[in-house]
Amino acid sequence: MFPDYIFESSWEVCNKVGGIYTVLSTRAKTLQDKMTDRIIFIGPDCWGTKTNPFFTEDDRLFAEWKEYAWKEERLNMKIGRWNIPGSPISILVDYSSYFAKKNEIYSRLWELYQVDSLHAYGDYDEASMFSYAAGLVVESFYHYYLDDTKKVVYHGNEWMTGLGLLYVLNRLPQIGTIFTTHATSIGRSIAGNNKPLYDYLFAYNGDQMSEELNVQSKHSIEKQTAHHVDCFTTVSDITAKECLELLDKPVDFVLPNGFEDNFVSKGSTFSRKRKAARKRLLDVANALMGSNLDDDTLIVSTSGRYEFRNKGVDVYIEAMNRLLRDKSLSKPVLAFIEVPGWVGEPRQDLVERLKSKKHYDTPLEVPEITHWLNNMSHDNVLGMLKYLDMHNRKDDHVKLIFLPCYLTGDDGIINMTYYDVVLGNDLCIYPSYYEPWGYTPLEAIAFKVPCITTDLAGFGLWANSVKGSDSEIIDGVKVIHRTDYNYSEVADTIKETVAMYSNFSANEVKKARNNAEKLSKKALWSEFIKYYYDAYDMALRKAELRKKNEKNLQN
């Protein structure tokens, strides 16, 4: 069975926060091509009166329903197009009015599904009110335009959409419901609190740990949603094990994250952009450090959310520190940490040097960072660099620079987008400890940049499964075995791999880059969308069974 309409909700619809934005925005075109304007995304209207660069409002879309929904149901929303390939219809809902009745909403949630919202704090309330509003949007649209002859699916991503899924399940049982957890809230908390997750996974009790780590409400909505929806899914085999142990519910399907390669430049444009990215990165580094690094420099980076341990930022720094003393390194290394911190402003002293276009032979003060932070003395990256005495000295053949901002093209220093920067790298390194999938390595290899990751990332496991054994850097991806306790071995392996790559011949580099690109083609949405079709089928069949049972009861 295949849906006539799909509603899909996420906090990251038209709202670029993390990897889920990439999942949805790259998958959208595949579904839009198959079912034009019958895939409708629902996200939060969190931009207010500011212009949302990811969304274009269109007053002609569903104009009559929009007016009706406002007058009769006080549903306040913007309807338009998501500014991504395929331009799917998106509805951004204003959820602010529902805070006044949140206790009533939570009470009903407890009565129906035993969801514990008593320990709610911070983003739980905001996400839940958005999710409730999204459920109201689906309900209103269904009653206005659709009926029982239409096959409809509502798909929610992450615990933030759980309340809406349960609302739709209760109010519109004829709709098939799908819930995808991209990472369990309790698993992320265990890993982020420096507790060993994997060796003790079988022994952890999710409910007990949620109390210990003070995430009871997030865990509760996630667990109850997983148990009640028609189809429960996650993004990798490693997170499927986590769901079984911590949510006490096996997933119905694993939906691996694909991507579209239409954002990857081709031919001479690719070469020109790569050359421009390398020049900009080297110019910034030389201005900051008073160095004279040239195009023979090996440029490496790590990137992602600022989860110091989970994303492996700590072991990346440690590896670069050990590389400082590696005699087999054949060329200088320029390493970047492209992770958004609590950024204050671009460094004006660095801006002035870049504008002057002069060469300087003395470093600026704190030559390890491009933007001032609001918490310079309490930042994890700067703290570790200080502890290891890594200060980009003139004779150091490994230099490490912290670029603590979102690369949107207007950061004040690099002034290039992330995708334009990443193709300037020679290697990308993502030594994740907790990574349900891992888009950053997939994006890197799409740009022909070989990468290092671990088998604690869903992507790393997938790369190994494609090759049939542990992948090496010549294959385009080096997958390091990582456990709760082998931090030092991982750092050494990264160091050795970078040193080895620095000694590659031109032909070996070309082979690694081509293998990276070939592997990325196996992760296109055209290869992975079939798993979603299985999930739609299961959800619709269960909804159909509910309809039949209801009719039988009525007869």
Side-chain angles (χ1 to χ4, degrees), residues 179-183 232-237 239-240 243 251 253-256:
F179 176 46
T180 299
T181 182
H182 297 255
F232 174 44
T233 70
T234 192
V235 297
S236 67
D237 291 335
T239 317
C243 292
V251 299
F253 295 104
V254 170
L255 309 178

Side-chain angles (χ1 to χ4, degrees), residues 15 23 109 179 187 228 234 297 358 371 392 409 457 478 483 522:
N15 184 34
V23 179
L109 197 60
F179 176 46
H228 285 94
T234 192
T297 304
K358 295 178 184 174
H371 296 65
N392 293 338
K478 163 75 174 176
T483 69
K522 294 181 179 178

Side-chain angles (χ1 to χ4, degrees), residues 48-257:
T49 56
K50 296 179 183 175
T51 301
N52 184 338
F54 309 111
F55 175 77
T56 300
E57 193 168 4
D58 185 345
D59 292 331
R60 298 165 298 174
L61 283 170
F62 307 130
E64 292 177 2
W65 166 62
K66 183 182 175 184
E67 185 179 356
Y68 167 85
W70 169 246
K71 285 183 177 176
E72 301 298 325
E73 299 163 336
R74 309 313 284 175
L75 261 178
N76 187 15
M77 54 193 163
K78 296 171 183 169
I79 304 175
R81 302 272 178 185
W82 195 347
N83 298 331
I84 54 175
S87 301
I89 292 174
S90 300
I91 299 172
L92 303 187
V93 61
D94 179 359
Y95 52 89
S96 57
S97 63
Y98 302 108
F99 283 97
K101 54 186 288 189
K102 70 174 184 178
N103 290 339
E104 177 188 331
I105 294 168
Y106 289 160
S107 296
R108 185 67 176 149
L109 197 60
W110 170 258
E111 290 167 10
L112 291 171
Y113 299 107
Q114 287 72 59
V115 173
D116 170 16
S117 302
L118 280 174
H119 302 90
Y121 64 89
D123 56 352
Y124 181 88
D125 287 338
E126 190 169 21
S128 295
M129 293 309 101
F130 154 64
S131 184
Y132 177 72
L136 294 176
V137 168
V138 173
E139 182 181 32
S140 178
F141 186 99
Y142 184 90
H143 287 316
Y144 196 87
Y145 285 116
L146 309 176
D147 55 43
D148 280 1
T149 64
K150 299 296 184 187
K151 299 186 290 294
V152 182
V153 159
Y154 182 44
H155 184 178
N157 294 272
E158 290 285 73
W159 66 265
M160 291 91 96
T161 62
L163 197 156
L165 277 163
L166 295 177
Y167 179 87
V168 168
L169 189 64
N170 176 248
R171 301 278 294 193
L172 298 164
Q174 64 271 45
I175 290 182
T177 50
I178 302 173
F179 176 46
T180 299
T181 182
H182 297 255
T184 67
S185 56
I186 186 61
R188 191 186 293 279
S189 295
I190 290 169
N193 279 277
N194 294 321
K195 294 179 180 293
L197 176 62
Y198 302 99
D199 283 358
Y200 293 95
L201 188 57
F202 72 95
Y204 282 126
N205 178 290
D207 297 343
Q208 178 188 333
M209 290 306 297
S210 72
E211 290 183 25
E212 182 179 326
L213 299 173
N214 198 27
V215 289
Q216 298 101 307
S217 292
K218 292 179 184 179
H219 171 69
S220 182
I221 186 69
E222 187 173 45
K223 181 175 180 178
Q224 297 308 322
T225 305
H227 279 260
H228 285 94
V229 291
D230 296 314
C231 183
F232 174 44
T233 70
T234 192
V235 297
S236 67
D237 291 335
I238 198 164
T239 317
K241 293 176 185 174
E242 197 181 308
C243 292
L244 178 60
E245 296 295 340
L246 299 176
L247 301 179
D248 304 321
K249 174 71 169 70
V251 299
D252 296 304
F253 295 104
V254 170
L255 309 178
N257 290 334

